C-alpha cells in the first residue's frame, strides 16, 4: 500500500487552485489540448479533472494512458483522511489490482504547481521519488508540506486540479473509514467508492505533451550528468588537498604515508611492542 513519507507512501496550478465547492462553471468546456479534462465517474458522483500537460507532461501522459487502458475501472478510493486527502488508483474492493501496472515515472515536483485544495497529485513511495505509477490523490485542504523536499530529496508532484465535483470529493472525505484485510493503513471507506470509468472529455494534444515530456526527461538527465561531473571534480579537489596535507606531514616527520584502498592515509610515527 502506498503511504506518505518514510514507509510505502502515496507518490502540477501555480499559486492556489481556484476551485469552489460547486466546481468551476466552465468545466464542460473541456479545457484545451494541453489542459485536457478527464471525467472520473464514481458510485458517489462525478469528478472532472483538468490535467496540466504543459507543466507536468510526463505525469499527465501517464494518467491519460492508465485511463485509456481502463486500468482505473473497478478501483476504489482506498485511503481517505478527512483533513488531508483522498487517494485512489491502486486497489479494487477485494484489495487487488496489479495487472497492467507500469513502472514508476519521473517525479515532476519542480514545476511550480502546488499541493492545495482541489489539486491532484502523484502518489509514490517514500525514499523513491520516481516510483509513482497509477495511484493519485486529491487534496481536500491546502498541503504546503507536500511541496517541500522530503528526506529522499523530492516533494509530491501536482499534475492538475478538480474543476467540477468538489462536492463529491468532500462527500468522499467525510465517509467513515476503517480497516481492510488486504489494504493496510486503516483508512479505507466502509462504504466503498468505486471508480466506474475515467474518460477524456474534449481534445488532448498528445504530440505536444510527448515533446514536452521528452524535453523534461532530457533536462533531468542533463542536470544529473552535471551534478555527477561536479561531484567528480570536487572529489579530485578533495584528494588533491589531502595529498598536499599528507606530503606536508611526510616532510615534517620524515615518515612515509601509507594509503589504504578506501582512500585513507596514515603515518607510523613510532613502532613498538605491547
Amino acid at each position: 500500500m502506498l503511504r506518505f513519507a518514510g514507509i510505502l507512501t502515496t507518490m502540477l496550478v501555480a499559486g492556489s487552485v481556484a476551485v469552489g465547492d460547486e466546481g468551476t462553471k466552465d468545466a464542460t468546456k473541456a479545457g484545451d489540448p494541453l489542459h485536457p479534462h478527464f471525467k472520473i465517474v464514481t458510485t458517489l458522483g462525478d469528478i472532472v479533472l483538468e490535467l496540466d500537460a504543459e507543466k507536468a507532461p510526463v505525469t499527465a501522459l501517464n494518467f491519460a494512458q492508465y485511463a485509456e487502458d481502463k486500468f482505473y475501472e473497478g478501483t476504489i478510493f482506498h485511503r481517505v483522511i478527512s483533513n488531508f486527502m483522498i487517494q485512489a488508483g491502486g486497489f479494487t474492493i477485494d484489495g487487488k489490482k496489479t495487472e497492467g501496472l507500469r513502472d514508476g515515472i519521473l517525479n515532476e515536483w519542480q514545476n511550480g504547481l502546488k499541493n492545495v485544495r482541489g489539486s491532484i497529485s502523484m502518489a509514490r513511495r517514500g525514499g523513491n521519488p520516481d516510483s509513482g505509477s497509477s495511484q493519485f490523490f486529491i487534496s481536500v485542504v491546502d498541503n504546503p508540506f507536500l511541496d517541500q523536499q522530503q528526506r529522499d530529496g523530492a516533494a509530491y508532484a501536482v499534475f492538475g486540479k478538480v474543476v467540477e465535483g468538489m462536492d463529491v470529493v468532500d462527500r468522499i472525505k467525510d465517509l467513515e473509514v476503517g480497516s481492510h484485510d488486504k489494504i493496510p493503513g486503516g483508512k479505507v471507506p466502509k462504504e466503498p467508492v468505486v471508480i466506474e470509468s475515467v474518460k477524456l472529455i474534449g481534445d488532448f494534444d498528445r504530440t505536444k505533451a510527448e515533446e514536452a515530456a521528452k524535453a523534461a526527461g532530457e533536462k533531468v538527465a542533463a542536470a544529473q550528468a552535471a551534478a555527477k561531473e561536479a561531484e567528480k571534480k570536487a572529489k579530485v579537489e578533495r584528494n588533491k588537498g589531502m595529498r598536499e596535507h599528507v606530503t606536508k606531514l611526510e616532510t615534517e616527520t620524515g615518515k612515509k604515508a601509507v594509503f589504504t584502498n578506501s582512500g585513507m592515509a596514515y603515518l607510523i610515527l613510532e613502532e613498538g611492542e605491547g
Side-chain angles (χ1 to χ4, degrees), residues 55-232:
K55 293 184 177 179
V58 174
T59 318
L61 283 166
N62 178 72
F63 182 91
Q65 187 62 61
Y66 274 116
E68 184 176 307
D69 293 344
K70 303 184 184 304
F71 178 89
Y72 293 126
E73 294 183 8
T75 59
I76 62 173
F77 281 86
H78 65 273
R79 185 168 179 247
V80 170
I81 303 176
S82 62
N83 61 350
F84 182 20
M85 56 88 228
I86 62 174
Q87 184 177 334
F91 299 93
T92 55
I93 291 178
D94 60 5
K96 299 178 180 180
K97 190 65 176 180
T98 55
E99 185 178 351
L101 190 67
R102 302 192 301 275
D103 292 337
I105 61 171
L106 174 70
N107 187 339
E108 298 177 293
W109 66 279
Q110 293 176 304
N111 60 9
L113 302 180
K114 305 300 181 182
N115 285 274
V116 296
R117 174 175 163 79
S119 62
I120 177 171
S121 308
M122 199 67 203
R124 65 179 182 82
R125 294 183 177 89
N128 186 350
D130 299 330
S131 60
S133 54
S134 67
Q135 292 193 37
F136 60 88
F137 62 93
I138 299 172
S139 288
V140 299
V141 296
D142 291 353
N143 290 309
F145 72 97
L146 296 180
D147 300 323
Q148 306 300 316
Q149 288 188 42
Q150 308 298 303
R151 291 183 178 181
D152 55 25
Y156 288 85
V158 177
F159 63 100
K161 60 184 177 181
V162 174
V163 291
E164 190 175 290
M166 275 305 290
D167 56 329
V168 177
V169 172
D170 286 337
R171 287 204 295 274
I172 295 173
K173 81 174 177 63
D174 291 332
L175 291 173
E176 184 180 358
V177 298
S179 60
H180 187 291
D181 290 343
K182 296 182 179 180
I183 305 176
K187 301 297 182 182
V188 183
K190 292 185 176 180
E191 174 191 342
V193 182
V194 182
I195 294 177
E196 297 178 341
S197 66
V198 179
K199 295 183 178 180
L200 172 67
I201 305 173
D203 297 326
F204 180 20
D205 194 331
R206 291 174 180 270
T207 299
K208 284 188 176 181
E210 288 168 356
E211 291 173 352
K214 180 180 179 181
E218 291 173 347
K219 184 177 180 180
V220 170
Q224 291 175 338
K228 186 175 181 180
E229 183 62 26
E231 174 57 26
K232 182 179 179 180

Side-chain angles (χ1 to χ4, degrees), residues 11-34:
M11 262 220 99
L12 292 151
V13 299
S16 297
V17 176
V19 178
D21 289 339
E22 296 79 24
T24 300
K25 294 181 180 179
D26 294 335
T28 53
K29 290 185 178 180
D32 62 59
L34 281 180

